Amino acid sequence: MRKASISAWGPKKLGLALATFLLIAEQSPAQAPQSTPPPSEQRSTIKVNVDLKTLYVTVTDRSGRSLTGLRAENFRLYDNEIEQLIAHFTTEDVPFTMGMVLDRSGSMLPVIDEVYLAVFHTVRASKDVDEFSILTFNDRVELRQDFSTDRELLKKRLKRVRAEGGTALYDAVLTALDHVQKGSREKKALLVVTDGDDNKSEHSFRELLDRVRQQEDVTIYVIGFFGSAPWSDFRIYKDSLQARLTELATATGGRAYFPRTMEECDRACIAIAEELRQQYVLGYYPRPRLDGSWHKIQVQLQLPAELAANGLTARTRVGYFAPKE
């Protein structure tokens, strides 16, 4: 059999063959065989919780006025008494969603129009991008206006509300906690206005407090207007009610106000809107045990002498429940 000779191919065939060989070699590089490391050398996969936890922090002086202008180095953040690295810090004025939870029980009859007018100061002191809903309650809870940025519509919904019946305060706040999640803004708050103790709810105060401690993204503000209540002279009873409302607000990093006059009520409503505009946002990556346990949060201030003399304090939610595996 006659052997083929490269020289017999001719220049064209030889060039074509050489180009084809180079193209194949370029597209199919040789790969060194890979060996699988023994089990002892294989890397294990570790699941780590890296979710950023966000805190809204309010700094106030002795008179309760909010202070801005601090920097990240002025804050110390502790999770279960272990200091955390502040991974995110901003003072940006972000839009918020607020659910207004308004008492319309029979005891509100002498002051309901004035109190609701005062509540509108919170809306007026906010920005056009902030949205509000209106939920009223007596024996039952009613959504009077869903989330809206229309100031005239909100003002209209606050007028001509009839005061009658009992006070299902705890049920109303629980309903509002669910509803506020439907708002379009990441920052969320409730404004709860009442003049009396709960006497009609199916749920207890302890159930409500447990729920607000679990729902980390809502700050609760309370206005307890007791100036006209027929039992307001019974100091022990009133102090007990104020203590519960204060505990409810404090658990979320909010604040409870107990105005004695309509002028003080007006100022409290304006102060709430201003506080939401002037908060610091701190973020960190906790490493909690994934067992559902309670974690206490503390934010402390590290200030120069001239600021420390003003008696400044930092306020945020008191803690959270770690996730479960």
Side-chain angles (χ1 to χ4, degrees), residues 5-257:
S5 170
I6 293 178
S7 60
W9 286 11
K12 291 184 179 180
K13 289 185 177 181
L14 181 60
L16 179 61
L18 182 59
T20 301
F21 173 80
L22 291 175
L23 180 62
I24 295 173
E26 186 174 350
Q27 292 181 344
S28 305
Q31 295 183 355
Q34 296 181 351
S35 60
T36 303
S40 60
E41 296 181 8
Q42 292 181 8
R43 294 182 179 179
S44 59
T45 302
I46 300 176
K47 184 177 180 180
V48 179
N49 176 22
V50 294
D51 292 333
L52 181 72
K53 186 169 293 297
T54 300
L55 300 176
Y56 294 103
V57 181
T58 301
V59 177
T60 55
D61 61 16
R62 289 191 185 93
S63 64
R65 292 175 299 186
S66 297
L67 178 83
T68 59
L70 298 182
R71 296 177 294 185
E73 55 264 33
N74 296 128
F75 293 87
R76 292 289 180 268
L77 197 163
Y78 298 87
D79 186 313
N80 268 0
E81 300 184 353
I82 299 174
E83 185 167 5
Q84 306 292 313
L85 174 67
I86 297 176
H88 174 72
F89 178 86
T90 182
T91 59
E92 183 182 359
D93 181 1
V94 297
F96 61 81
T97 288
M98 174 176 279
M100 295 190 290
V101 189
L102 310 181
D103 192 341
R104 72 174 191 94
S105 61
S107 59
M108 287 284 292
L109 183 59
V111 295
I112 189 167
D113 291 335
E114 291 180 285
V115 171
Y116 280 25
L117 183 61
V119 166
F120 191 70
H121 288 310
T122 302
V123 179
R124 186 180 290 115
S126 66
K127 291 190 173 180
D128 291 342
V129 292
D130 300 323
E131 62 179 9
F132 296 83
S133 68
I134 301 172
L135 186 152
T136 59
F137 66 95
N138 52 8
D139 302 82
R140 62 190 182 89
V141 183
E142 177 185 3
L143 179 62
R144 186 165 294 271
Q145 175 58 52
D146 210 343
F147 292 108
S148 176
T149 60
D150 186 334
R151 272 43 182 167
E152 290 303 315
L153 176 62
L154 292 165
K155 188 175 182 178
K156 180 180 178 181
R157 293 291 188 265
L158 288 170
K159 292 181 178 179
R160 294 186 294 277
V161 179
R162 178 183 297 179
E164 58 185 357
T167 308
L169 171 62
Y170 306 151
D171 287 356
V173 179
L174 284 167
T175 300
L177 284 169
D178 288 332
H179 184 256
V180 77
Q181 296 302 321
K182 300 177 182 179
S184 64
R185 312 296 189 245
E186 182 176 354
K187 189 175 189 177
K188 295 179 171 62
L190 295 183
L191 171 56
V192 181
V193 179
T194 185
D195 77 331
D197 199 6
D198 189 294
N199 55 27
K200 288 294 182 179
S201 285
E202 296 180 2
H203 299 87
S204 68
F205 176 74
R206 182 52 52 184
E207 289 177 295
L208 172 59
L209 187 61
D210 287 344
R211 171 65 184 282
V212 301
R213 293 172 73 188
Q214 293 171 7
Q215 194 156 340
E216 299 176 31
D217 62 342
V218 181
T219 305
I220 297 179
Y221 295 89
V222 176
I223 294 180
F225 192 77
F226 305 137
S228 64
W231 44 262
S232 60
D233 291 333
F234 295 94
R235 183 68 179 271
I236 297 177
Y237 185 76
K238 185 172 71 171
D239 287 353
S240 175
L241 175 55
Q242 289 185 358
R244 289 198 298 275
L245 295 177
T246 299
E247 186 177 8
L248 179 66
T250 301
T252 68
R255 182 177 176 182
Y257 296 83

